[in-house]
Each structure stands twice: as C-alpha cells, then as structure tokens.
Amino acid sequence: MKKKNSQEDSKTESKIARQRTHIVPPPSESGDSQPQPSTHIPIVGVGSSAGGLEALEILLSKVPVEAGIAWVVIQHMDPTQKGLLVEILQRKVAIPVLQIRHGMRAQPNHVYVTPPNKDVSIVEGVLHLLEPEAPRGLRLPVDFFFRSLAADQKFRSIGVVLSGMGSDGTLGLRAMKEQAGTGFAQDPESAKFDSMPRSAIAAEVIDIVAPPEDLVARIMDYLKSPTYSTLANYEVSNGDTPVMEKVFAVLRMQSGHDFSQYKKSTMHRRIERRMRLHQIPSIAEYLNYLRQNSVEGDLLFKELLIGVTNFFRDAEVWKCLRHTILPEYLAARPEGGVLRAWTVGCSTGEEAYTLAIIFNEVVEELKPVKPFSLQIFATDLDKDAIEKARAGIFPANIAVDVSEERLQRYFVENGQGKMVIRQEIREMITFAPQNVIMHPPITRLDFLTCRNLLIYLDASLQKRLMPLFHYSLKPEGIMVLGSAETVGSTTELFSTLVEKMRIYQRVNTLSQMNRVPFSSNFTAVGSGKARESREPQGRAPVTFSLQALADQVVLQQYSPAAVLVSKEGDILYVNGKTGKYLEPAAGKANWNVFAMAREGLGDALAEAFHRAVRQKKEVVVKSVSVGTNGGTQLVDLSIEPLKSPDALSGMLMVVFHNVAEPLETVTAGGSAKRAPSRHNTRVSTLAQELQKAQHELQLARTEMQTSEEELKSTNEELQSMNEELQSTNEELTTSKEEMQSMNEELQTVNHELQAKVDELSRTSNDMRNLLNSTDIATLFLDETLLVRRFTIQTTKIIKLIQTDIGRPITDIVTTLHYPDLADDAREVLRTLAFCEKQVTAEDNKWFNVKIMPYRTQENRIDGVVVTFTEITAYKELEVALRTAKTDLQDELEKTRKHLAKQTDLEGEHTQAREDLSNESRR
C-alpha cells in the first residue's frame, strides 16, 4: 500500500513539474477519445488583476447556491501583504469562500482564492501551492493556473478573464483552447482596466464576451449543453457519417480546404465544441446552421487550425538542438554558407523565431572562420496566423517562456506593452501561407521542423508526408517532430538521432526518390516511370541536375569576376577569378574590398563605391589602370546596389571587366610598335594636364578619405552612444514592467483596503450610535493617558472639544471632584484590575466612575476606558431614604420610651393591687 501511495505521489510531482515548465501535453495520437479527467466537477478558473475586485464581487454574487461548480480565483496580489480577498468576497457570495491550502481538493459550490506569493497548480482535481520562480514584477499567475487547468481538465477546462492590466491569462486560455476548452471574458467596456480581456479577445481565444453580471448565466448555459458531459465518449454512428461528410463538404466550399483526411477524433471534438457553444444538440442541426451562417464557417475553420505553439515549447528539445545537434551540424561544414530551414505549420511564428534565436546563439558561440547564415521558410494554412507571425509582435507575457537575457537580446518593447522581435531575427524568416498537402514543398533544406501537424492527420496522410519531407531535405538534413509524432513506418528514410526528442536525420536512400507522393496540384520534374525509362539498365539512377551543372560551368567559364560586398565593403561572396584585381593585404587578415584592391584600383573603386551607395544606382568606371605583377592592365569597373531578392537587399555587386589592349602595328623588322600619332605635341600637353588633374584629384580623394575616416569615427561614437541608450531603454523597459506589475498588486491591495475601510467605517458608525444611545459618558485614553476618543455625553462632565484629542487628561478642566482620576487610571494599567468609584461634581451631581483596561483584538493593553454613569437620582433617593430612616428610628424610640413608661405604670398598678390584696387578707 505504501509503495502504491509512493508511486501516486511521484506521478503527481511529475505532473506538477511538467506544468511548472509550461508543457501542455498534446491530444493523444492513437485513441479517438481524450483521456477522462479525474473529476467530473466543473472547475472554473477566474483570473483578474487591477480593478478586478469589483468584477469578482459582481460575478460571484450571481453564483447559485447549488450550481455544482468549483470556482478558483487567481488574483494579482502584493506578496508582502496579508490577503483580505476571502473576507471581502464572503460578504457578497452565498457559497463558502476559502483560501487555498496545499493539497486541498476542489469541491463543488465553493470558491477558492489564491494566497499571496504563491502559484497555484491543479492535478487530478487537487490544488497545489508552489513557490513562484519568476521574480516579482514578472509573474503571470493566471497563465500558470490556466495552463495547469487545461492539462488537468482537458476539454472540460473553463477560463474567465476579468478586469486587469497587461496580458496575463492569454497564453493560458490558448492552452485551454488547444484542449477544446472554453474561454470567457468580461466585456472590455465594463472593465476598469481592459488590457487583460482585450488581449485575450485579440488572440482569438475567447468564445463568449459578456459583462460580469451575465457571465455566470452564460457559463451555466454552457454547462447544461447536452453534449458537454458526453464529449469525451463521442463516437460517430453509421447514421452520422454522411452528415459529417456533408459538414466537411460545406467547410471545403467555404474555406477552400479539405479536412476529410484529418484525424476524425480531432475533427469531431472541435465540431462538438462549436455545438456546445451554440446549444445545438445534434450534428444534423449544426450542419443546417453551418450552411445558413458563413461566419460560423470561418470560426469553425479557425477552430480546426488551432496550433499548440509558444516560444521554446518543449524546452528540452530546444536545449538539445542548441547545445548538441546544431553545433555538430555546423562543425561538419567548415565551408560556411547559407543554410535553409522549413517550419511546417508555424501558426503565429513562435517556433520559427525560436529556431532563429538558437541558431544565432550557436553561431555567436562557435565563431566559425567562414560565416553562416540561416534562411527559414515558415508556412501555415491559416493566413491570419501568418500575418501575425510576419508582424513579429507578441504580448509581454512571453516572459513565461523566454528568459530575461533573451528578451533583452532579441526583443524590444513598442511602447504599448508589446514585445517586438528584433530586425536581425525577423530578416532570417520568410512567412507564407501554404497547404503542405496540396502545394509544392520547399526543397534543399538543412533543417525541417513539423511539431504541430502530424497528430491531427490520419495515418494515410502521415504516410504520404514522410517521403515528401525526405525529398525536401538535403543529405544528412535534420528533421524535428513533435513529442507525440514519429516517422511511423518510413523508418528507412530517417535515422534516429535523439529518440526521446523526436530528432531524426535524413538517410541518403535513392530507392524512395521515385516514389514521392506529390499532389496532383503540382508536378515533379519527370515522373518516376519516365526517369526509369531514360536510365540505363544496371546503373544507379541519375540524381544530379543538368541545369545545376550547366549553371556551374557557365559561372566558372564565362561569367565575369565579381564580389558581393556589404555597405561597409566587407566581402561576402566571390565569383570567378578575382586575383588580377584583388589581393590580400599585408598584416592581419582583412576581407575588406578596399584593403584588398590592387595598385591603381583603390581610388576609383572607393569613389565609385560611395557614389553607388549614395545615389542607389549602378555606377560604371571605364578603363581603370590596375597594376599587375610587373605591368598594368585596363579594367572596366561596375558597382550595382542590390534591391532583390530580399536576402541580398542592401548589398552591392562589384564586377570587373577586362579591356582589350590598343592595336599594334608590325614594322618591317618584325617588331611591334604602336601606330604613330600625328599630334604628339598636343598629346604630350594633354598628358601633362591629365597628370596635373590626376594629382589634384588624388589630393581631393585624400582629403575626402580623411573626412570619411573622421565621419566613420564619429559614427562609431554615435553607435556606441546608441547602444548605451538602447541598454538604458531596455533597463527602463524592465523597470516599467516591474512597476506595472507592482501597480496591479497595489491596485488590488487598494481595493481590498478600500473595502475594509468601508466596513470599518460602518462598524465605527454603529459603535458611535451605540455609545451615544446608551447615554453613558465614555472616555478613551491611551497608555500615556492622552485623550483618544470620547462620546458626546462626556463633554458635559469634562470640558472636551474635538481638538483636545491627543492632549493629556490632566490638562483638561473637569467639573468632577476627582483629583485621583489620573492616578487611578495608571494603577489600572499597572494591575489590569478595574477601578470603580462614586464622585461628586460641581453642580451637586453624582457619578459612578469605572476605569477598565482597553484590550485590542491581539489581547494587548493599549490604554483605559473610563465610563461616567450619573447616579444623582440614586444619591438623592438614598439621602431621602436615610432621612426617612432616621425619622422612623426617632419615632420608634419615642414609642418605645412611651411604651416603657406605660409598662412601668402598669407594674406599679399591679404592685399596688397586690399590696391592697395582701392587706385585705390580713
């Protein structure tokens, strides 16, 4: 039993660790139904930030007592302050409100509130508290819990975003939508701070938008949907199959894309999710609704294209690529050059940008002798997603997935709370809409990533794509698949590099090349049978391209010598033999075209180069005399700035053309000499003038070069200052984010304190009215006997006004004959025993003075409370009673004396009668 419990605890810790790294498992590839969550209790996550307290009170006040829902409230809180949210919400909510404790199981008809300075995770319906890993100011607790809820509850996950600043919650809702969960948002018009709901709505992860007073009713309607409780066990019956085919046909007509070969279980889950939102109980009714509503077709199309994507998704895979695969691949290619990569199903571009970032880091770390560059082609079926990817603008909450160093290195803030990818990374990627099933593939690839597509395709379609990917890759090219994707039965095409990470390498097999299943929408160069007919029997198939070989021969034999250079003159590419024009400069290796120019070429090259850069058009210089080894040659120089293709934009092409020597004549002796000129004198004069002009031109060029160097130095200084300013800007951006987060926390604390102040104000009014209604004079003194508070009746006894608060009680005039008041109060503070005395006042009034210790809620003595109860009437009654008693006693004494006298007389009479009786007997 202990072993079993240990295994369960280990499994739970593993799930929590996976949620901590923000990994949401993709839908199962093998089964048609999703795994059932451990609990069927609807669990609704509610996220809010600044201004969210009022919305929370309104929303939760509408929750019925027997709704059967567990509500988990995630609020941005100040980690240094005690949370008051439970007390505040409990006054408005009819069901119990509890602060989350570690290991607490979510129960229906309860509200659970996150404690300060904790992240909340959920595993199998049990809430767990975790220490935040992100520093204060960069925490995104709503995203963290929503992702956890998506991983645990799958299609049953429900998220609600209320008022708040920033974009916390958007990534978490995206994770829910990937699992066929549902997102709700407060209407931004009703929110005090609308950034959070607007961010979620703009990301298209919200299904229903409503004011907070209506959200509970919409959630209840959603949960009452007839398909909600049966979604996980949904199976298409024989009678429903034609209807589903009609749904795909309508969708194909409206969107132009065929989803019939996508995995049926995935398609059915997405369609049923739309049915739940519209309260449509059957597929036939939904088909009619789809036919009549074109907008629903667009929404369903987007629903079917939901991609699991974020920066550095499956972090271990990118670590493996960053530290092992890419460095080894580049090290095996010392020649440098341009590498090509294809990201299939790129969605909004996070994966393509991630690949560009780690490639840039690897190149910076390796510092190869010859430069490498990477051209990434990122494609997706969703044109809207491609447009977002092209913009390269992401919410600030990508800090959950991107480290602080990478944020500062590869992103800049646009002033609207968004992060924009830097230009150097953006220029590495070309985004384009593409249907990988129907459109031609991108070829000659070094890398191919497809990490969010195959799990949604059926087995036959996956089998068609693997040879296509093999065809697209170069020999030994790298392919990376998703955590739930494999190469299937096409193991002969790829070898496994890292099985756990799903990283494969292309196997150079020729037998598969003739069996690439190209779509009918495009045609390969010659079919397989045609190629077989052209190849000699018994010889391996020809794998080279005649066009490529011909191009290579033309470039080597007939094209002019040329170099591709940057705007600074650094040589990037060399074509043909340029040794007659360029040679390495002495000293440290320098690949700058100006430093390598031979004698006589440098000045003309520099002048023409700067003119071409300035005028942005081709510049041609004729007949430049260039020194060779022991002689000279004439060269025509052409410099052209390049505008296309995009990859070469901003570079310049420098082309060298040889000029034929002047014609020579042969003398009778057989020696060659130049034809004689008839104007030798004129030629000599012109030569001298030309030499003088060349000298002046050389001086002008020298001055210009000096000025250019000065300008270059100034430019370097400005660039250095710009970098410093940029660094300062990044620091200010980070500080701004931290201040914004703290501002949200302070907003929450402010709302909580305001609610507490209102409550204390009501309590104070109640106590004031209570004390005044008792007609008992009450005086509150602190530990030093300074006046703290008093009731109205006290002013009739002690001459107190409002400004006397804070003054010693001994300094204030009183009508009481009680000089020991201060001493008795100090004695009470010392002994903690109450003191009670009856004293008189100047107007012959009597008061009962009672002094008691003042105890706080923490059971601390913080002064004394003195009450004055008027007892004049009782005293007068006492005096009257005492007087009546005295008079009565006097009367009684007189009566007693009178009775005593009568008794004495009666005695005397009796004695006299006895004496007479005795005498008569004698």
Side-chain angles (χ1 to χ4, degrees), residues 75 83 215 235 241 287 321 354 364 400 454 460 582 624 651 658 675 695 711 819 821 828 842 878 903-904 911:
Q75 174 87 346
L215 281 174
E235 294 181 0
T241 302
L287 174 60
L321 289 171
T354 300
E364 288 181 350
V400 173
L454 297 182
S460 63
L582 305 174
V624 180
M651 303 178 187
N658 286 334
H695 178 68
L711 288 173
L821 174 62
V828 168
E842 293 178 352
E878 180 184 352
T903 302
D904 291 342
Q911 186 65 38

Side-chain angles (χ1 to χ4, degrees), residues 232-245:
N233 299 320
Y234 178 80
E235 294 181 0
V236 178
S237 65
N238 293 331
D240 284 341
T241 302
V243 181
M244 294 300 298
E245 291 177 354

Side-chain angles (χ1 to χ4, degrees), residues 16 20 102 117-121 128-132 144:
I16 294 176
R20 168 65 81 187
H102 185 72
N117 204 32
K118 294 290 182 182
D119 279 342
V120 181
S121 174
H128 299 270
L129 296 179
L130 305 170
E131 294 295 331
F144 185 86

Side-chain angles (χ1 to χ4, degrees), residues 829-848:
L829 287 172
R830 188 181 68 82
T831 63
L832 304 183
F834 75 90
C835 171
E836 188 171 8
K837 289 185 178 181
Q838 295 180 355
V839 297
T840 59
E842 293 178 352
D843 48 359
N844 296 323
K845 290 185 178 180
W846 283 81
F847 291 91
N848 182 64

Side-chain angles (χ1 to χ4, degrees), residues 53-334:
L53 180 58
E54 181 180 344
L56 276 173
E57 290 180 335
I58 296 173
L59 181 141
L60 296 176
S61 66
K62 303 294 182 179
V63 176
V65 177
E66 298 298 332
I69 303 173
W71 305 81
V72 182
V73 176
I74 309 297
Q75 174 87 346
H76 286 205
M77 293 184 174
D78 186 345
T80 63
Q81 298 289 333
K82 178 183 177 182
L84 304 174
L85 195 57
V86 173
E87 303 173 23
I88 295 171
L89 291 179
Q90 190 62 81
R91 296 197 309 268
K92 300 285 187 178
V93 183
I95 58 179
V97 181
L98 306 174
Q99 191 170 76
I100 298 173
R101 299 191 305 275
H102 185 72
M104 176 184 287
R105 178 172 290 278
Q107 299 293 336
N109 303 316
H110 283 73
V111 177
Y112 299 93
V113 177
T114 179
N117 204 32
K118 294 290 182 182
D119 279 342
V120 181
S121 174
I122 185 168
V123 177
E124 297 181 353
V126 178
L127 299 168
H128 299 270
L129 296 179
L130 305 170
E131 294 295 331
E133 288 187 348
R136 182 181 179 186
L138 299 176
R139 296 174 186 170
L140 301 170
V142 181
D143 272 332
F144 185 86
F145 178 73
F146 280 5
R147 284 181 167 184
S148 171
L149 187 63
D152 186 63
Q153 297 296 305
K154 300 294 190 299
F155 69 92
R156 298 180 186 274
S157 57
I158 300 174
V160 181
V161 171
L162 301 178
S163 172
M165 294 189 289
S167 57
D168 194 9
T170 300
L171 295 181
L173 286 168
R174 178 175 293 171
M176 288 187 185
K177 200 159 188 180
E178 290 159 4
Q179 300 293 332
T182 309
F184 294 78
Q186 179 181 358
D187 186 350
E189 298 300 326
S190 65
K192 285 189 175 181
F193 297 90
D194 59 1
S195 295
M196 276 177 56
R198 285 194 187 279
S199 173
I201 294 169
E204 298 180 352
V205 294
I206 294 299
D207 299 293
I208 295 176
V209 178
E213 57 268 20
D214 296 336
L215 281 174
V216 172
R218 302 297 295 272
I219 294 172
M220 296 292 292
D221 290 342
Y222 171 76
L223 294 176
K224 291 175 183 176
S225 168
T227 58
Y228 175 76
S229 60
T230 60
L231 178 60
N233 299 320
Y234 178 80
E235 294 181 0
V236 178
S237 65
N238 293 331
D240 284 341
T241 302
V243 181
M244 294 300 298
E245 291 177 354
K246 291 179 181 178
V247 170
F248 291 137
V250 173
L251 191 60
R252 183 166 57 248
M253 289 173 50
Q254 294 183 358
S255 67
H257 298 286
D258 185 9
F259 290 91
S260 60
Q261 289 184 300
Y262 279 57
K263 193 169 291 183
K264 296 298 185 292
S265 59
T266 302
M267 297 300 100
H268 298 159
R269 281 195 298 270
R270 303 299 187 190
I271 291 171
E272 283 232 344
R273 184 176 178 278
R274 299 302 306 171
M275 293 167 58
R276 288 203 313 274
L277 292 173
H278 294 296
Q279 302 290 296
I280 298 175
S282 69
I283 297 177
E285 292 182 34
Y286 182 74
L287 174 60
N288 294 331
Y289 180 76
L290 186 63
R291 284 171 171 168
Q292 299 169 5
N293 193 334
S294 60
V295 175
E296 178 62 21
D298 295 337
L299 294 174
L300 178 59
F301 174 71
K302 291 185 177 296
E303 188 85 19
L304 299 178
L305 294 179
I306 292 173
V308 183
T309 183
N310 52 270
F311 282 96
F312 297 93
R313 173 173 164 259
D314 298 342
E316 293 301 321
V317 175
W318 295 108
K319 286 181 181 178
C320 182
L321 289 171
R322 165 70 175 82
H323 298 289
T324 305
I325 304 299
L326 279 175
E328 292 178 356
Y329 191 87
L330 297 184
R333 287 154 181 79

Side-chain angles (χ1 to χ4, degrees), residues 76 79 134-140 399 734-745:
H76 286 205
R136 182 181 179 186
L138 299 176
R139 296 174 186 170
L140 301 170
T734 303
S735 300
K736 178 184 176 183
E737 292 172 354
E738 295 176 356
M739 291 298 295
Q740 179 177 337
S741 179
M742 293 179 65
N743 186 34
E744 294 177 6
E745 295 171 358

